[in-house]
Amino acid sequence: MRCPEFWSRTGYLIAGLGFLRLLLDATLAVGQPVMAPDSLLPFAPRTYVCYRTDRPLHIDGRLDEPAWQAAPWSAPFVDIEGPRRPPPPYRTRVKLLWDDTYLYIGAALEEPHLWATLTRRDTVIFYDHDFEVFIDPDGDTHAYYELEINALGTVWDLLLLKPYRDGGPALDAWDIRELQAAVALDGTLNDPSDTDRGWTVELALPWNVLEEAAPEGRPPRPGEQWRMNFSRVQWPLEVVDGRYRKRRDPTTGRPLPESNWVWSPQGVVNMHLPERWGYVQFSALVAGTGTEPFHPHPDEPVRWLLRQLYYRQRLFRERHGRYARTLDELEVPADWRVRYRLALQTTESLYEITATLPDGARLHIREDGRIWKTRPDTP
């Protein structure tokens, strides 16, 4: 779970934001779309088509069943900040399946040093090496799920009502009821005397829990898309007295920063930018019986445009102590206003921006970052 507190912990915040502020100032000056105040990465989330399995999977951590063999692998993970950082030295990939009961997630992590220490559920698992899952079923950036697991199979699952940047709490007491989770190790755990090969993760997440934050409170239908991301935390280790421990800064004595490798890059060391996560499209096809292309949703460019205006409002409030009251104050280009029929409503502490789609439906975004869609016959 990477969040603003993490930036303070690693000591990167001041330098990073200073550089980003210079970029934003220059961008605003020429009236161009601004990137997120915490991201320089172009908007290009990764995509994956999730096929069905025609029989339930046995969750033992091994991805050797025929359905898993037929499911496609994702692209290898990259650094969380994107291509301006070196690629990870160890490969990580995921694959997904689904049926009427579960969303299945499998992951394979190359790892020469299998290491884990945490055994109590709902502790902060990323203090170990871990694998992480993030799911925002309706893509509104609110009410999303996070799950972390280490090589001991210890799980931390939580619900976030909204991202930390928007004041959202993490509900640690929330659990994925009837979660099935297992790991399989290819090597020896916590033994520095040999070189390991890696570990695999297998998860079955029941729809009757995931549907709590899903559109219409139900599992997905074929052709629908959910926003997801997957992450891996990797700490630099050393061997002291025959045991692994985190490498430490010789000056401060504190552990050196971890690496964060992800499926769809975030642009910064912060997983809690749900608008940066990838897209998973659910297919009616059984894995291995055919292929289905990914179909980008036509609303997504407009949703991203509204997200740009949300970023502008955040920066405007930081500079002026209030939100912009007009599109002129936000320096919104005239062609945006006309093409998307943009409208802005504000109070002393709140705002809502709407864009109208060609079919008359409207997309909305508000000050806490939530984005949603209404039809002409709904408010």
Side-chain angles (χ1 to χ4, degrees):
M1 178 178 66
R2 242 55 58 221
C3 59
E5 290 83 355
F6 166 81
W7 279 75
S8 297
R9 175 165 57 82
T10 58
Y12 295 150
L13 178 59
I14 296 174
L17 286 183
F19 173 66
L20 291 166
R21 179 59 43 75
L22 292 174
L23 176 73
L24 284 165
D25 287 344
T27 304
L28 283 169
V30 297
Q32 296 299 313
V34 292
M35 300 302 294
D38 45 9
S39 179
L40 295 174
L41 191 68
F43 183 69
R46 283 182 161 176
T47 63
Y48 183 90
V49 176
C50 178
Y51 296 100
R52 291 183 63 89
T53 174
D54 57 4
R55 62 192 63 187
L57 301 180
H58 174 60
I59 306 302
D60 59 4
R62 304 181 185 280
L63 309 180
D64 52 4
E65 294 179 73
W68 279 129
Q69 295 298 309
W73 283 111
S74 73
F77 284 23
V78 297
D79 189 273
I80 192 171
E81 296 186 67
R84 68 175 177 270
R85 297 292 184 187
Y90 311 131
R91 187 171 69 173
T92 311
R93 296 183 295 173
V94 296
K95 54 175 61 180
L96 289 82
L97 292 164
W98 70 303
D99 60 20
D100 291 340
T101 307
Y102 293 104
L103 169 66
Y104 300 99
I105 299 172
L109 300 85
E110 291 183 351
E111 176 55 71
H113 306 292
L114 288 170
W115 168 73
T117 65
L118 301 170
T119 59
R120 183 167 62 87
R121 184 170 179 147
D122 289 344
T123 50
V124 182
I125 299 301
F126 71 78
Y127 289 161
D128 283 350
H129 293 341
D130 80 348
F131 172 73
E132 304 179 357
V133 177
F134 298 84
I135 303 175
D136 181 9
D138 61 4
D140 69 350
T141 75
H142 283 207
Y144 59 87
Y145 311 121
E146 178 179 355
L147 182 149
E148 304 183 3
I149 188 169
N150 66 7
L152 285 166
T154 308
V155 167
W156 182 20
D157 50 354
L158 58 158
L159 170 68
L160 291 105
L161 299 183
K162 59 180 74 173
Y164 296 105
R165 68 182 176 196
D166 297 307
L171 303 182
D172 289 332
W174 179 86
D175 287 333
I176 302 176
R177 301 180 307 276
E178 300 179 13
L179 168 72
Q180 298 182 51
V183 300
L185 308 182
D186 190 1
T188 54
L189 186 66
N190 297 329
D191 181 359
S193 67
D194 62 3
T195 299
D196 306 307
R197 287 160 295 282
W199 54 303
T200 51
V201 177
E202 190 176 20
L203 303 169
L205 287 68
W207 293 120
N208 60 13
V209 175
L210 298 183
E211 67 188 14
E212 293 176 6
E216 302 177 14
R218 59 168 173 76
R221 294 169 180 160
E224 293 182 340
Q225 298 170 6
W226 284 18
R227 301 300 299 270
M228 298 188 198
N229 213 345
F230 308 95
S231 174
R232 173 180 179 175
V233 170
Q234 189 79 5
W235 293 90
L237 301 178
E238 61 184 358
V239 179
V240 177
D241 297 329
R243 303 181 67 174
Y244 289 123
R245 78 169 190 185
K246 296 175 183 176
R247 290 178 54 198
R248 301 177 184 274
D249 185 303
T251 302
T252 66
R254 297 177 180 175
L256 295 175
E258 71 273 32
S259 295
N260 297 269
W261 306 329
V262 303
W263 171 51
S264 196
Q266 297 287 101
V268 293
V269 187
N270 184 351
M271 285 303 297
H272 295 274
L273 305 176
E275 68 272 16
R276 286 282 178 182
W277 298 350
Y279 297 88
V280 173
Q281 177 176 297
F282 295 91
S283 173
L285 295 175
V286 172
T289 64
T291 60
E292 176 181 303
F294 180 87
H295 299 285
H297 197 285
D299 291 353
E300 291 310 308
V302 186
R303 292 169 68 93
W304 184 242
L305 179 146
L306 288 179
R307 184 63 56 181
Q308 300 295 295
L309 300 183
Y310 158 86
Y311 297 145
R312 289 192 180 202
Q313 280 283 37
R314 288 177 64 91
L315 186 56
F316 189 96
R317 186 175 187 182
E318 182 177 327
R319 289 174 170 173
H320 303 285
R322 63 174 176 85
Y323 290 119
R325 300 187 181 101
T326 67
L327 296 175
D328 285 336
E329 284 191 316
L330 281 183
E331 302 181 38
V332 178
D335 60 325
W336 289 18
R337 305 185 201 190
V338 173
R339 182 176 181 183
Y340 302 107
R341 287 183 275 171
L342 296 176
L344 169 62
Q345 296 177 309
T346 64
T347 68
E348 289 300 316
S349 58
L350 309 173
Y351 74 83
E352 182 178 314
I353 305 174
T354 59
T356 302
L357 301 173
D359 64 358
R362 293 185 298 170
L363 288 171
H364 310 249
I365 197 166
R366 67 190 188 197
E367 75 288 337
D368 65 357
R370 181 171 178 259
I371 189 166
W372 72 99
K373 185 176 184 178
T374 58
R375 298 291 178 182
D377 56 349
T378 60

